[in-house]
Amino acid sequence: MRLPVPGPRDVLSALERGSEQVEALLGAVPRALALLDRAEVLIERASATVDRVGAVVDAATAEVARVGTVVDAATVQVERVGAVVDAATAEVARVGAVVDAATGEVTRVGTVVTAAATQLDRVDTVVDGAAVQATRAGGLLDALEPPLTALQPTLQTLADTTHPDEVAALVTLVDHLPALTTQVERDVLPVLTTLGSVAPDLHELLNVSRELNEILGKIPGIGRLKRRVEEDDDFETPQ
């Protein structure tokens, strides 16, 4: 804002205007002096403000420098944190892979445990059956112990007197038993079933032979011939 300070032109203009203007100018001088005093005060205050602003700027510059240092240090720390985060990310990925593998192994272990439980159940069943059979076998051995004890001398004698050739022959006989059984069933048993009808015929044949022998004995000379035949049979029969 421009201050109303009178200049030379104002003074000349005032002189030309007359005494009233001179009085007015003279009345404005104290006001101009007061304005100058106020302007000096304002200038001093502005100078102090400028000084304070300079101090503030210096302090702000120092703070900016400190902030720059802090920002640089923070940048370094951020970079370090970034490296740590990258390493942590890699470790997390590795841990994830390990967890996945562990999960697969746990699943496999669960399958194995289930199969093992099934096998254990089967083993328990077999053990229970074996226990029953062992109980039965124990009872059977208890029942067989007296006769086996009684037969032990006979069995020992049989073992001592049995030749390996006899054992081989017995094995051969056992090998032929199926064929022998087949032949007996095919050839012998049918004949045995017909013996019931053959017996009367044999009895009748014996009766006829006996009657024929009696008839021959009544023929003259047959008795002497019969004795000669019997003597020849006795002579030819080995003693």
Side-chain angles (χ1 to χ4, degrees):
M1 180 180 178
R2 186 176 179 181
L3 297 176
V5 179
R9 293 182 179 179
D10 294 330
V11 175
L12 293 176
S13 177
L15 290 176
E16 291 177 354
R17 292 177 182 177
S19 59
E20 293 180 359
Q21 295 293 330
V22 172
E23 291 178 358
L25 288 174
L26 292 175
V29 169
R31 293 176 59 194
L33 294 175
L35 290 173
L36 289 174
D37 292 336
R38 290 178 62 187
E40 289 177 357
V41 173
L42 292 174
I43 290 170
E44 290 177 357
R45 290 178 62 186
S47 177
T49 302
V50 169
D51 292 337
R52 289 177 62 190
V53 168
V56 171
V57 169
D58 293 337
T61 301
E63 292 298 327
V64 168
R66 289 179 59 191
V67 169
T69 303
V70 172
V71 168
D72 293 338
T75 301
V76 174
Q77 295 299 325
V78 167
E79 291 177 353
R80 292 179 60 188
V81 169
V84 172
V85 169
D86 293 336
T89 302
E91 292 299 324
V92 167
R94 290 179 59 191
V95 170
V98 172
V99 169
D100 293 337
T103 302
E105 293 299 324
V106 167
T107 302
R108 291 179 59 192
V109 168
T111 304
V112 172
V113 168
T114 302
T118 303
Q119 296 300 324
L120 286 177
D121 293 337
R122 294 179 61 190
V123 168
D124 291 337
T125 303
V126 172
V127 169
D128 294 337
V132 174
Q133 297 300 325
T135 303
R136 294 180 60 189
L140 182 61
L141 288 176
D142 293 336
L144 291 177
E145 183 177 2
L148 289 177
T149 303
L151 288 175
Q152 195 274 334
T154 303
L155 295 176
Q156 185 64 42
T157 302
L158 180 62
D160 294 338
T161 58
T162 301
H163 194 272
D165 294 337
E166 296 175 347
V167 176
L170 181 61
V171 172
T172 304
L173 177 61
V174 172
D175 292 337
H176 287 84
L177 280 179
L180 181 61
T181 302
T182 302
Q183 291 180 359
V184 168
E185 292 177 351
R186 186 184 62 225
D187 301 331
V188 177
L189 290 180
V191 173
L192 292 177
T193 56
T194 62
L195 289 178
S197 60
V198 172
D201 296 335
L202 290 176
H203 184 68
E204 185 178 356
L205 180 60
L206 289 175
N207 291 331
V208 172
S209 176
R210 188 178 300 109
E211 293 176 357
L212 181 60
N213 191 18
E214 292 176 356
I215 293 172
L216 291 176
K218 296 177 180 180
I219 298 175
I222 294 299
R224 188 173 51 194
L225 179 63
K226 183 179 180 181
R227 286 193 299 271
R228 288 184 60 186
V229 171
E230 290 177 355
E231 291 176 357
D232 291 339
D233 289 339
D234 293 337
F235 178 76
E236 292 178 358
T237 301
Q239 296 299 324

